[in-house]
Amino acid sequence: MAEPGDLAAVRAAIDRLDDDVVALLARREELVRAAGRLKADGAAVRAPGRVEQVVARARERAVSHGASPQVVERVYRAMIGAFVDLELATAAVSDGVVVGPAAPGSAGEVLTLQLAAHGSEAQLQTRPLAETLEEVAAAVAAGTVLTATVGPRVVGAVRGALDGGVLTVGHLVVAPDHRGRGVGSALLAAVERTPGARRAVLSTGADDLRLYRRAGYREERRERVSAGLELVHLAKDLSG
Ligand SMILES: C=C(O[C@@H]1C=C(C(=O)O)C=C[C@H]1O)C(=O)O
């Protein structure tokens, strides 16, 4: 590349280059998010062995481009650190939390969580939250319930009913002492991986939208259920 003659010109050239760098970072972020959705815990998110592979490869590429491998390594370690934080905050779960199909016999615990759920969704007293033990047990037996467990304890659950490629997500609940640690996001990410699901839809109270917005859900419409209580219908395209 020709050397620009003064600092302003150099900076203009850096700005143009940064446009490309950020565009590439955006593509990298998409891939990192996809990797995160395939992981079950914090150790898998951090993947230190893979980090060393990526760094070693970047150092080699730096040498072949005539760049400083030390600078490239520092940039890469900082970048990967930021991506790991993103993965931990989005798809992944705190260490020790395992997400998977509800174990036979867990219906009682799932129902207890549903009944204990706080917030607007519980206040709606919608049919799902007023389920009987038999109904929850039938859903567990049908394989439509996913749970998050810590050791033997169920700390969260979600349900996904698939019909013609449309996944209706419901009953997302997290034990009060496990909130804010990515359990809800991990359950949501796991249910979205239901084979054959091309679109996810769900309805929730107007005050618990953050988790869903962060996960890429878009608002379709709002429905006033009663005075002071609004139900928000959300959807997410899963085909991409
Ligand atoms: C994207 C991944 O997750 C993390 C982020 C990495 C990256 O940004 O390259 C590499 C390893 C993990 O720490 C992965 O495991 O590949």
Side-chain angles (χ1 to χ4, degrees):
M1 191 173 66
E3 286 273 279
D6 57 31
L7 185 56
V10 172
R11 287 180 174 166
I14 289 177
D15 287 346
R16 282 195 298 279
L17 204 67
D18 281 344
D19 290 347
D20 292 342
V21 171
V22 174
L24 290 170
L25 283 174
R27 280 165 56 191
R28 200 176 195 283
E29 179 180 319
E30 269 177 45
L31 293 170
V32 169
R33 284 180 188 273
R37 287 194 289 273
L38 300 169
K39 296 178 181 183
D41 56 37
V45 166
R46 290 185 187 89
R50 170 65 182 161
V51 174
E52 295 315 311
Q53 250 179 23
V54 174
V55 168
R57 197 166 171 278
R59 285 186 64 109
E60 277 171 30
R61 306 286 299 161
V63 172
S64 67
H65 283 283
S68 156
Q70 290 87 351
V71 169
V72 167
E73 173 167 352
R74 282 176 59 188
V75 168
Y76 260 73
R77 289 200 187 278
M79 176 186 73
I80 293 172
F83 278 130
V84 166
D85 286 347
L86 177 86
E87 266 186 74
L88 287 170
T90 53
V93 204
S94 1
D95 291 342
V97 179
V98 175
V99 173
S106 62
E109 276 182 283
V110 171
L111 181 59
T112 303
L113 273 185
Q114 286 179 197
L115 295 173
H118 296 138
S120 53
E121 209 180 331
Q123 291 157 22
L124 285 173
Q125 293 299 326
T126 50
R127 204 183 121 65
L129 290 157
E131 276 183 322
T132 64
L133 181 59
E134 289 67 33
E135 286 173 315
V136 179
V140 169
T144 59
V145 182
L146 295 180
T147 52
T149 51
V150 175
R153 184 180 163 211
V154 177
V155 298
V158 71
R159 209 156 323 163
L162 187 65
D163 185 6
V166 178
L167 181 75
T168 301
V169 176
H171 329 293
L172 179 61
V173 286
V174 177
D177 61 325
H178 275 76
R179 291 192 188 150
R181 302 188 201 177
V183 174
S185 299
L187 282 163
L188 197 55
V191 78
E192 287 171 6
R193 291 198 290 270
T194 301
R198 293 192 303 274
R199 177 180 158 82
V201 295
L202 62 88
S203 305
T204 187
D207 9 310
D208 4 273
L209 294 177
R210 257 191 48 195
L211 169 90
Y212 300 117
R213 289 226 170 98
R214 230 175 27 220
Y217 283 78
R218 303 224 182 285
E219 192 173 318
E220 301 249 289
R221 64 192 171 86
R222 290 187 175 224
E223 184 187 343
R224 185 154 291 284
V225 179
S226 63
L229 199 55
E230 216 176 13
L231 197 58
V232 184
H233 299 278
L234 302 165
K236 178 180 177 178
D237 179 23
L238 304 175
S239 60

